[in-house]
Amino acid sequence: MGLAAAAAAAVRPCRRRLLSSASASAASKTAAGTATRLFPRLPHPHHPPYGRRLPFLVSAASQTGPATPVPVPVPSDPRAAVSGNLPFFDRVLFPDSFPLETPPAKEEEDAAAVQTDEAVEPAASLREETETEREAWRLLRRAVVSYCGEPVGTVAAEDPECTETLNYDQVFIRDFVPSALAFLMRGETEIVRNFLLHTLQLQSWEKTVDCYSPGQGLMPASFKIRTVPLDENNEGFEEVLDPDFGEAAIGRVAPVDSGLWWIILLRAYCKITGDNSLLERVDVQTGIQLILSLCLADGFDMFPTLLVTDGSCMIDRRMGIHGHPLEIQALFYSALRCSREMLVVNNGSKNLIRAINTRLSALSFHIREYYWVDMKKINEIYRYKTEEYSHDATNKFNIYPEQIPSWLVDWIPEKGGYLIGNLQPAHMDFRFFSLGNLWAIASSLTTPKQAEGILSLIEEKWDDLVANMPLKICYPAMEDDEWCIITGSDPKNTPWSYHNGGSWPTLLWQFTLACIKMGRPELARRAIAVAEERLSDDKWPEYYDTRSGRFIGKQSRSYQTWTIAGFLTSKMLLENPELASILTCDEDLELLKGCACCLSTKRTRCSRRAAKSHTG
Ligand code: GLC
């Protein structure tokens, strides 16, 4: 970053080093016009040009309701076929009380002025921020990185004491989400728009691992801004965005969650800003379609869940989550729901929309039916017969009751339950994974009753899942032989550390979101209070160790951005619960009616009655 800033004076109009096939034509149009604008907006007859001066309080009548079908005037571009209408899209309105205004620290005033959306007037009623919140905002702003003079994201960590940066100086897609939300809720929307458009241009860069390219539509795990000489004479420099699709990451795993988070964030951005012109852009519509086409491509798999390798999400090291991990399924479901709202309906997209609906039905049935465990279900599994060969087997996945771990027998509460971590033939991963369960609530992947059950389990198991720091990434930790075999004896993932049962404060915002959705804000308030007690004193660690989260993690970074942003986002959401709807989805009963469930006993469509029973 320092290097980039130093070279800024010499930086020419920004140029990309490589162009993806998806964005080549849009970019060549740019080159033909003014070379400085990376993302020219397509001229749109029905919308005024997008500017930073968004009306923050607009009447609902003027902003809601379907947009008029409009052709995008670039007939030479085959991707122009995506234009049409946005059937479900509703704007969320800013509450009177936002944004809060933090007076920037003296020495950071200049930098902050660059990044603050000047159009956003502070709202009339201002709450006094706590010292911790003020510090968090200062640190969040310090983590902002710029590309060609515009803010485009936040680095993963800005730890001045850490000499080994690894890739923590990069902008991670998943890590930026809570930063984006904090900025959005404060009315600083520009950084999020820039992030969405720049990462879109990185989609499907021609990068390879051992001569093999990732699928078109893949979003990188992270990117870095590098300053490179324009020629051998070193007379001028340019900034380039350098993405990592996993080809440099430890373990070389492709990030399946990046594209899903990108879609979720795009919807949140558009809902809060009302910037529908962004949605109607050809490159944005194409970006959504590419991500989904990659996810919906046919393979050998028999399940509606997404089949992925180990470490393809927040847990990005070997932790035995390959197969159909819950976190990916919850994000997948959420991204499908968001895309359905955002995709313009026309001849080019109608098959994709049909595929989305079919997948949503099957996915929600599958997860609600087979991932859910509570006291009753565990008892059922305990009495399972095995080796049932038939279409109407009770034990469809041939689960041996011996798999029920001893910890679970005592742990499962009388009331409530949760979604298991993974389901494969003859394998149920009974570990509790927080992010998957919380996002399943937020997206309505669970039934409302199951959602209540998950929160009630978290409340009941508070000492195991929250204790001294919210929230356990998973519970319990793997130990002894299991740890050796499943993690490959990973010294970073030792029992109750890091991904293996560590406590991650960033998960606070997803917890807050789920609590708000289910009308249980007091639970979130309790967790935030626990975190607020320690985070600043402990220098905003990435994660905590030990069974009850008492110690700062062994190799934990300090000033981890998503810890800081997660805290701020939780606080803002709690104060403005109506803003939760930019991220959540409501129960869709129509989906259950259309559930084409190949796993149902008679291999027929799920009856309306059966589907209804899942809404319980
Ligand atoms: C670690 C985490 C990953 C995160 C990255 C940057 O690798 O496992 O989820 O995105 O750090 O913070």
Side-chain angles (χ1 to χ4, degrees):
M1 258 196 326
L3 185 57
V11 168
R12 291 243 199 108
C14 290
R15 249 185 23 194
R16 297 186 55 226
R17 211 190 311 164
L18 280 173
L19 292 176
S20 67
S21 52
S23 54
S25 86
S28 64
K29 284 189 182 77
T30 319
T34 77
T36 44
R37 292 306 306 165
L38 259 181
F39 303 106
R41 193 173 70 80
L42 291 169
H44 197 298
H46 292 256
H47 291 274
Y50 175 78
R52 297 169 73 195
R53 282 166 177 70
L54 289 169
F56 270 75
L57 293 166
V58 286
S59 79
S62 68
Q63 290 295 324
T64 55
T68 329
V70 280
V72 176
V74 274
S76 59
D77 185 339
R79 291 168 300 131
V82 297
S83 69
N85 56 32
L86 300 166
F88 304 110
F89 216 74
D90 275 348
R91 162 102 192 261
V92 167
L93 301 179
F94 271 91
D96 290 340
S97 59
F98 258 78
L100 285 167
E101 185 62 27
T102 315
K106 198 94 196 101
E107 67 275 21
E108 282 162 28
E109 231 155 26
D110 292 347
V114 178
Q115 289 143 13
T116 305
D117 191 330
E118 293 142 6
V120 180
E121 292 298 326
S125 64
L126 297 179
R127 176 177 68 82
E128 184 72 36
E129 284 180 329
T130 64
E131 187 41 52
T132 312
E133 285 168 310
R134 268 197 287 275
E135 184 196 17
W137 271 112
R138 271 196 305 275
L139 294 169
L140 184 60
R141 289 188 194 291
R142 190 180 75 174
V144 169
V145 281
S146 293
Y147 175 57
C148 300
E150 293 186 329
V152 288
T154 47
V155 286
E158 182 82 71
D159 183 351
E161 279 153 38
C162 185
T163 46
E164 216 187 348
T165 338
L166 295 176
N167 51 357
Y168 283 85
D169 59 350
Q170 305 209 3
V171 179
F172 278 74
I173 310 296
R174 70 175 76 87
D175 292 41
F176 181 66
V177 175
S179 299
L181 296 171
F183 285 122
L184 282 179
M185 287 193 280
R186 207 183 169 85
E188 296 172 34
T189 59
E190 193 72 2
I191 184 171
V192 184
R193 183 182 161 91
N194 291 341
F195 170 87
L196 287 166
L197 290 173
H198 282 283
T199 45
L200 181 62
Q201 292 239 328
L202 296 177
Q203 192 181 33
S204 318
W205 262 34
E206 289 141 32
K207 287 241 183 166
T208 59
V209 176
D210 292 347
C211 314
Y212 188 74
S213 314
Q216 218 199 1
L218 189 72
M219 281 279 184
S222 59
F223 64 85
K224 191 177 167 68
I225 291 140
R226 296 186 198 280
T227 305
V228 295
L230 275 171
D231 49 37
E232 303 93 59
N233 305 329
N234 282 354
E235 278 171 5
F237 293 87
E238 65 175 346
E239 286 183 342
V240 291
L241 290 176
D242 190 8
D244 181 9
F245 290 92
E247 75 278 4
I250 296 161
R252 303 288 187 266
V253 231
V256 178
D257 64 340
S258 288
L260 306 174
W261 276 123
W262 185 87
I263 290 175
I264 293 165
L265 182 60
L266 174 68
R267 174 186 179 250
Y269 167 84
C270 293
K271 271 182 104 76
I272 209 164
T273 60
D275 182 9
N276 278 357
S277 64
L278 184 81
L279 270 190
E280 289 162 7
R281 281 172 54 136
V282 171
D283 53 350
V284 171
Q285 287 284 319
T286 308
I288 302 173
Q289 295 195 6
L290 284 176
I291 295 169
L292 293 185
S293 303
L294 189 60
C295 293
L296 294 168
D298 285 337
F300 290 103
D301 204 20
M302 293 291 286
F303 303 149
T305 36
L306 213 53
L307 179 62
V308 299
T309 59
D310 214 345
S312 57
C313 51
M314 176 182 182
I315 294 179
D316 56 4
R317 299 166 79 92
R318 193 173 148 193
M319 264 292 286
I321 61 163
H322 53 276
H324 305 90
L326 179 65
E327 176 180 332
I328 289 288
Q329 313 317 323
L331 293 174
F332 180 36
Y333 181 84
S334 179
L336 288 173
R337 291 285 307 264
C338 296
S339 305
R340 201 175 58 156
E341 280 178 30
M342 295 190 293
L343 277 173
V344 167
V345 184
N346 59 27
N347 281 340
S349 65
K350 66 174 196 266
N351 286 343
L352 181 63
I353 293 171
R354 198 172 302 129
I356 291 174
N357 277 317
T358 311
R359 194 60 172 261
L360 277 170
S361 295
L363 185 58
S364 64
F365 180 84
H366 187 82
I367 298 282
R368 290 169 177 207
E369 183 74 8
Y370 305 122
Y371 277 59
W372 177 254
V373 290
D374 54 14
M375 177 74 182
K376 185 164 159 263
K377 183 69 182 284
I378 305 243
N379 205 159
E380 242 169 61
I381 300 170
Y382 181 75
R383 291 165 52 78
Y384 265 169
K385 290 190 187 55
T386 55
E387 320 299 334
E388 293 177 273
Y389 179 83
S390 71
H391 286 310
D392 51 9
T394 312
N395 181 3
K396 295 186 178 62
F397 306 97
N398 203 33
I399 306 296
Y400 301 104
E402 290 73 13
Q403 263 179 48
I404 299 175
S406 50
W407 63 265
L408 184 61
V409 177
D410 298 322
W411 196 73
I412 191 81
E414 290 288 331
K415 210 173 126 228
Y418 67 99
L419 298 171
I420 57 168
N422 211 325
L423 174 67
Q424 317 238 55
H427 174 65
M428 283 176 123
D429 182 343
F430 287 100
R431 281 174 292 172
F432 175 88
F433 287 85
S434 296
L435 180 47
N437 273 282
L438 296 175
W439 209 261
I441 297 176
S443 61
S444 283
L445 173 57
T446 59
T447 67
K449 197 165 162 211
Q450 288 173 339
E452 275 167 25
I454 294 168
L455 288 188
S456 124
L457 176 133
I458 295 177
E459 190 178 19
E460 174 90 21
K461 299 291 168 188
W462 195 263
D463 292 345
D464 291 329
L465 302 175
V466 179
N468 295 295
M469 182 52 66
L471 206 63
K472 280 267 168 269
I473 195 166
C474 69
Y475 180 91
M478 291 182 295
E479 302 186 75
D480 308 318
D481 284 354
E482 204 186 5
W483 165 76
C484 287
I485 296 164
I486 294 183
T487 71
S489 305
D490 183 348
K492 200 163 176 184
N493 275 335
T494 49
W496 305 107
S497 181
Y498 201 48
H499 297 146
N500 189 13
S503 303
W504 290 65
T506 187
L507 293 169
L508 198 55
W509 77 266
Q510 283 107 342
F511 181 55
T512 306
L513 186 67
C515 289
I516 291 172
K517 176 154 188 257
M518 299 314 297
R520 308 244 8 225
E522 80 290 346
L523 215 51
R525 212 165 277 130
R526 208 174 132 198
I528 293 172
V530 174
E532 193 158 14
E533 183 92 343
R534 296 186 63 185
L535 286 179
S536 171
D537 287 350
D538 292 349
K539 300 190 192 156
W540 308 91
E542 179 186 16
Y543 65 96
Y544 286 78
D545 283 357
T546 77
R547 192 181 266 269
S548 66
R550 283 187 73 200
F551 288 3
I552 298 172
K554 220 180 348 185
Q555 294 185 43
S556 173
R557 306 274 140 169
S558 298
Y559 304 108
Q560 182 80 17
T561 306
W562 68 355
T563 299
I564 298 163
F567 167 75
L568 287 172
T569 296
S570 306
K571 283 238 147 172
M572 292 166 100
L573 279 172
L574 208 51
E575 220 163 291
N576 295 273
E578 60 281 27
L579 290 183
S581 67
I582 64 171
L583 294 154
T584 58
C585 298
D586 293 332
E587 173 77 321
D588 179 355
L589 294 174
E590 286 301 309
L591 276 180
L592 299 175
K593 284 186 205 159
C595 176
C597 182
C598 297
L599 294 164
S600 74
T601 41
K602 296 198 174 93
R603 291 187 128 250
T604 53
R605 289 190 160 250
C606 298
S607 72
R608 250 173 113 146
R609 200 147 51 93
K612 270 249 155 87
S613 74
H614 288 278
T615 66

